[in-house]
């Protein structure tokens, strides 16, 4: 059994896989440079298994690799790299790594919440540029404490749009801060570990939440789901946090609400235009904290994705059903 690997795997994971197959490495995981489809075909050769992250496994790649039996993708959005429809048509299982970055994304969601609500990022910026007029603490009452006071999280309501892996992790953290948590998810499943979380419709969530946190997937049904009308339902004291996908939200409406003080602030890890346009109006807003799509930038993710992928591969090799198969219908064939 031969495998060509462009994904990042831990040394321990590689050692375990080498007990069962011959591994060849190249592409993004080894060099930081993504192989183009033609290069991938040439390098992968007669591999039985293809493990990728950012390389595109196109219908042409699948058709050209005559010995290909399985594809694994460690990327958060597997369909961004693998043409799953083409793989399914060819009868090739596609393994993925669900939840690989759920912890990291939940962490940054709470980090952005605190950063904007308590003016952490803003005041740190003033100190770094040595703007002492805006960041001075003294004993005479002219304190930064008065100018940059913000609400505490305890006893506030966190509204989470989407209650999958990421949503549940955000809920755990919010409850740890003493917050009430509501969620809005048409596929909501009660979590025994989070019995206090109640599911509500989206309009109720927008009206009741002190923090609205986006944690759902982007698809044709969810694109633009947070409309101008939904943003208008928010409390003037509420904050909007997005660590999911920018296209879930009417970004222009969000910008208007922030500019006009209709909501208190926002923490954004995702934007419609990335990297951010230097002329973006968000850059002039003191009530907005922006990070450059680093929600999944955790040094622990490689170990997590390796564990998930290796487990699935070993299950496949021993004739068991992998828990992390994206197109399980191929197994019925």
């Amino acid at each position: 059994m031969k495998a060509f690997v462009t994904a990042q795997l831990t040394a321990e994971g590689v050692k375990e896989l080498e007990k069962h197959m011959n591994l060849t490495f190249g592409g993004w995981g080894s060099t930081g440079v993504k192989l183009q489809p033609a290069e991938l075909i040439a390098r992968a050769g007669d591999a039985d298994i293809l493990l990728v992250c950012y390389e595109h496994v196109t219908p042409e790649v699948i058709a050209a690799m005559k010995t290909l039996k399985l594809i694994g993708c460690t990327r958060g959005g597997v369909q961004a790299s693998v043409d799953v429809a083409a793989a399914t048509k060819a009868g090739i299982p596609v393994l993925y790594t669900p939840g690989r970055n759920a912890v990291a994304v939940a962490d940054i969601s709470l980090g952005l919440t605190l950063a904007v609500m308590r003016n952490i990022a803003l005041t740190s910026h003033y100190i770094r540029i040595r703007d002492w007029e805006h960041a001075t603490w003294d004993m005479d009452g002219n304190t930064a404490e008065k100018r940059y006071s913000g609400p505490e999280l305890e006893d506030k309501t966190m509204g989470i749009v989407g209650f999958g892996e990421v949503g549940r992790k955000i809920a755990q953290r919010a409850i740890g801060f003493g917050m009430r948590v509501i969620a809005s998810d048409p596929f909501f499943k009660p979590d025994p570990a989070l019995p206090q979380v109640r599911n509500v419709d989206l309009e109720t969530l927008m009206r009741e939440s002190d923090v609205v946190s986006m944690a759902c997937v982007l698809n044709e049904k969810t694109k633009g789901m947070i409309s101008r009308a939904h943003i208008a339902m928010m409390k003037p004291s509420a904050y909007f946090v997005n660590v999911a996908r920018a296209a879930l939200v009417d970004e222009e409406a969000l910008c208007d609400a922030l500019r006009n003080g209709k909501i208190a602030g926002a923490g954004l890890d995702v934007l419609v235009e990335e990297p951010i346009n230097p002329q973006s109006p968000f850059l002039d807003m003191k009530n907005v904290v922006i990070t450059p799509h680093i929600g999944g930038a955790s040094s622990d993710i490689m170990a997590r994705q390796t564990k998930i992928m290796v487990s699935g591969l070993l299950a496949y090799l021993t004739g068991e059903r992998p828990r992390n198969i994206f197109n399980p219908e191929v197994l019925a064939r």
Side-chain angles (χ1 to χ4, degrees):
M1 187 75 72
K2 298 179 182 179
F4 183 69
V5 182
T6 73
Q8 286 186 312
L9 303 174
T10 62
E12 293 80 4
V14 168
K15 186 176 180 180
E16 181 62 31
L17 289 179
E18 286 179 334
K19 297 177 183 178
H20 306 275
M21 60 189 77
N22 295 320
L23 303 180
T24 303
F25 299 88
W28 183 84
S30 299
T31 66
V33 179
K34 184 173 74 174
L35 295 174
Q36 297 304 309
E39 297 173 309
L40 183 60
I41 292 169
R43 292 291 305 278
D46 59 350
D48 303 286
I49 296 173
L50 191 57
L51 298 182
V52 301
C53 183
Y54 292 111
E55 272 78 12
H56 290 294
V57 184
T58 64
E60 291 73 25
V61 171
I62 293 168
M65 295 185 63
K66 304 299 184 183
T67 58
L68 188 61
K69 299 178 179 64
L70 181 139
I71 300 167
C73 180
T74 58
R75 190 173 184 176
V78 59
Q79 290 175 298
S81 289
V82 179
D83 191 314
V84 177
T88 302
K89 185 177 180 181
I92 298 173
V94 177
L95 302 187
Y96 70 127
T97 53
R100 66 186 274 276
N101 62 359
V103 171
V105 174
D107 282 351
I108 203 167
S109 176
L110 267 292
L112 285 169
T113 300
L114 286 166
V116 66
M117 289 178 71
R118 296 299 304 277
N119 291 297
I120 296 171
L122 179 63
T123 51
S124 176
H125 166 72
Y126 285 143
I127 289 173
R128 285 183 176 276
I129 65 173
R130 295 168 173 79
D131 184 348
W132 308 124
E133 180 183 351
H134 287 94
T136 298
W137 186 94
D138 62 37
M139 299 295 290
D140 299 321
N142 183 32
T143 64
E145 176 185 358
K146 290 185 177 180
R147 284 179 283 167
Y148 302 112
S149 63
E152 299 170 357
L153 294 182
E154 189 169 335
D155 292 328
K156 302 300 189 299
T157 297
M158 170 72 78
I160 305 171
V161 182
F163 202 62
E165 288 276 353
V166 174
R168 289 193 293 272
K169 295 292 185 184
I170 292 173
Q172 290 172 356
R173 285 151 178 75
I175 290 168
F177 276 99
M179 301 185 77
R180 296 178 293 274
V181 178
I182 57 177
S184 183
D185 189 327
F187 305 103
F188 181 87
K189 294 181 180 178
D191 189 329
L194 301 166
Q196 60 273 69
V197 178
R198 61 187 178 95
N199 194 41
V200 300
D201 59 67
L202 184 58
E203 290 72 20
T204 299
L205 183 142
M206 299 302 290
R207 286 193 295 266
E208 292 187 3
S209 299
D210 297 295
V211 180
V212 174
S213 186
M214 301 300 296
C216 62
V217 298
L218 176 65
N219 54 42
E220 288 304 314
K221 291 184 178 180
T222 61
K223 186 176 182 180
M225 66 182 298
I226 306 297
S227 66
R228 184 174 292 272
H230 286 108
I231 293 170
M233 296 175 189
M234 294 175 66
K235 302 175 184 178
S237 59
Y239 294 80
F240 185 87
V241 176
N242 193 358
V243 293
R245 289 290 184 266
L248 295 166
V249 186
D250 183 333
E251 191 172 88
E252 183 178 345
L254 177 64
C255 185
D256 289 344
L258 290 162
R259 182 192 292 117
N260 298 321
K262 299 298 184 181
I263 62 174
L268 307 174
D269 186 49
V270 289
L271 296 167
V272 170
E273 187 174 355
E274 295 177 347
I276 189 169
N277 187 324
Q279 305 305 315
S280 171
F282 286 130
L283 294 174
D284 297 320
M285 298 180 185
K286 293 180 180 180
N287 59 342
V288 179
V289 175
I290 301 172
T291 47
H293 207 143
I294 58 171
S298 161
S299 57
D300 296 314
I301 283 179
M302 193 198 307
R304 190 172 293 110
Q305 71 186 28
T306 298
K307 183 178 180 180
I308 296 169
M309 186 57 67
V310 170
S311 175
L313 284 168
L314 296 183
Y316 172 77
L317 292 174
T318 56
E320 299 177 11
R321 179 190 176 97
R323 297 180 63 184
N324 58 320
I325 184 168
F326 195 83
N327 54 345
E329 60 270 29
V330 302
L331 298 183
R333 302 180 190 176

